[in-house]
Amino acid sequence: MTAKSEQAVTLTISEAGWLSTFQDLGREDSEYMGVPCGGAADQHSAAVANVLVGNRRGAALLEIMGGRFAFTPSHDVFISVTGTPADVTVGGVPAPLWQPVCVPANARVVISNATGGMRNYLAFSGDLDTPRFMGSAAPESRMGFPQQLAAGRKVQLASRYLGFSQPYLGQPLFRLPVPVPDFSPDVWTVEVVDGPETDRTPGIRELLSGSIYTVGGKSNHVGLRLDGPVIHPEGLGEIVSHGVPIGAFEIPHGDELIILGRSRTLTAGYPIVAVATKASLPVLGQASPGRKMTFRWVSQEAAVVRWREQQRLLCDLENRVHNLFAAVGLPFAHEADPATPPSTRAA
């Protein structure tokens, strides 16, 4: 397909929700310098949003947390909205989530009434003009890099999308194998594997799998703070603070359970009694205050199988999108495209 020239698009933000930021899939090779990887709390939804508009998975996009978000583009744009169920309208007409959507120039797009989870992801075909810190657009407020959007801001987009139409009004634009999570259960089940102090905490397996925990109001990208029963490890003595994986379950000195997120740093000497599986991390990224959850223990082997299956479905979607876009003349990112820094890939 002949490469299309880029056009400059201005996105005027008229409503910015409770907290809306630039995001991507986070930083690589930063944590040995004490900088967390950061990135989208729900990596699956963020990656799918980008894939649906032909971008690389790690391209910059917007993470929207609650409230109403609205923008108007100066030119035609190609978008997708993923994440928790929400209402999306384009020029007052309802539009679907988890599908690519054509937006005409000067049509107002509104995302509102999010339910079930906590975050939506808005991707645009093309490259958002935003600063990067250590190769990533992801916020790092402790380093003075907040990346927060406010009403009235004008965001620039370089896009090769020049408009597209299909003759079957009222029908979906495309039918794609999109792996959409289920946000409907009242109690979410998160799969976990053993942590370094699991065996030093008698009864912790039975407690976590047999109890229901509630996400507290002080949760953020650093970690979820859960209200519920805990057991403190026995006879550990002092634990030297060390690096920990995303999804590590800490039990601090108080009766609280903390699940570390993408902006975590070190343990602060707290024991790690479990670790959420990699495939479960997007679920944790959608957990809002008041969300109830329980935990299911799985083997390391089962956790790897589940992760590989999740990635297989995403690769299938990617391949279908690229083949379809090539057939109908829509732009998509090639391997040689320099648009997305190599340091932003799925983590």
Side-chain angles (χ1 to χ4, degrees), residues 32-298:
Y32 77 97
M33 293 184 285
V35 180
C37 61
D42 178 354
Q43 298 264 295
H44 176 76
S45 292
V48 170
N50 270 321
V51 169
L52 286 174
V53 294
N55 293 344
R56 290 189 179 188
R57 299 184 196 182
L61 76 171
L62 305 185
E63 182 181 81
I64 301 162
M65 192 170 72
R68 283 170 56 93
F69 183 92
F71 74 93
T72 303
S74 61
H75 298 72
D76 291 0
V77 291
F78 197 41
I79 72 167
S80 66
V81 181
T82 62
T84 191
D87 295 333
V88 181
T89 59
V90 177
V93 178
L97 278 80
W98 297 90
Q99 291 185 32
V101 174
C102 300
V103 177
N106 301 313
R108 189 168 186 258
V109 178
V110 179
I111 303 169
S112 61
N113 300 323
T115 59
M118 194 171 189
R119 295 173 171 92
N120 288 109
Y121 292 88
L122 171 59
F124 298 85
S125 175
D127 307 315
L128 288 170
D129 182 12
T130 178
R132 285 175 167 79
F133 175 63
M134 299 184 72
S136 172
E140 180 44 63
S141 57
R142 287 168 293 192
M143 297 289 180
F145 193 67
Q147 289 290 74
Q148 190 169 340
L149 293 160
R153 180 164 178 176
K154 296 183 182 296
V155 176
Q156 300 303 311
L157 170 73
S159 177
R160 290 181 291 152
Y161 174 75
L162 301 177
F164 180 80
S165 63
Q166 54 100 345
Y168 306 105
L169 296 177
Q171 299 299 315
L173 188 61
F174 305 118
R175 296 189 184 276
L176 294 165
V178 183
V180 182
D182 182 8
F183 291 92
S184 64
D186 292 332
V187 179
W188 290 356
T189 299
V190 176
E191 293 184 341
V192 297
V193 297
D194 285 356
E197 280 79 50
T198 301
D199 289 337
R200 302 294 297 272
T201 315
I204 192 64
R205 292 185 178 88
E206 295 77 11
L207 185 70
L208 290 180
S209 60
S211 304
I212 294 177
Y213 294 80
T214 304
V215 178
K218 294 183 179 180
S219 301
N220 53 31
H221 267 74
V222 176
L224 297 177
R225 293 179 177 269
L226 274 60
D227 296 324
V230 297
I231 298 174
H232 294 276
E234 299 176 354
L236 285 181
E238 184 177 357
I239 299 176
V240 176
S241 189
H242 56 81
V244 288
I246 303 164
F249 284 50
E250 283 188 342
I251 297 181
H253 300 306
D255 290 335
E256 183 181 37
L257 184 66
I258 298 175
I259 308 178
L260 298 178
R262 300 191 62 80
S263 293
R264 83 273 177 254
T265 51
L266 303 175
T267 66
Y270 298 140
I272 305 299
V273 298
V275 180
T277 65
K278 202 167 184 179
S280 291
L281 294 179
V283 175
L284 296 175
Q286 287 289 355
S288 57
R291 165 58 58 191
K292 296 187 181 299
M293 61 178 63
T294 189
F295 306 102
R296 179 170 62 236
W297 295 87
V298 299

Side-chain angles (χ1 to χ4, degrees), residues 280-315:
S280 291
L281 294 179
V283 175
L284 296 175
Q286 287 289 355
S288 57
R291 165 58 58 191
K292 296 187 181 299
M293 61 178 63
T294 189
F295 306 102
R296 179 170 62 236
W297 295 87
V298 299
S299 66
Q300 292 280 356
E301 293 76 14
V304 171
V305 168
R306 177 74 181 91
W307 167 250
R308 287 177 175 170
E309 174 62 11
Q310 193 178 79
Q311 294 306 295
R312 183 190 68 78
L313 294 174
L314 191 52
C315 287

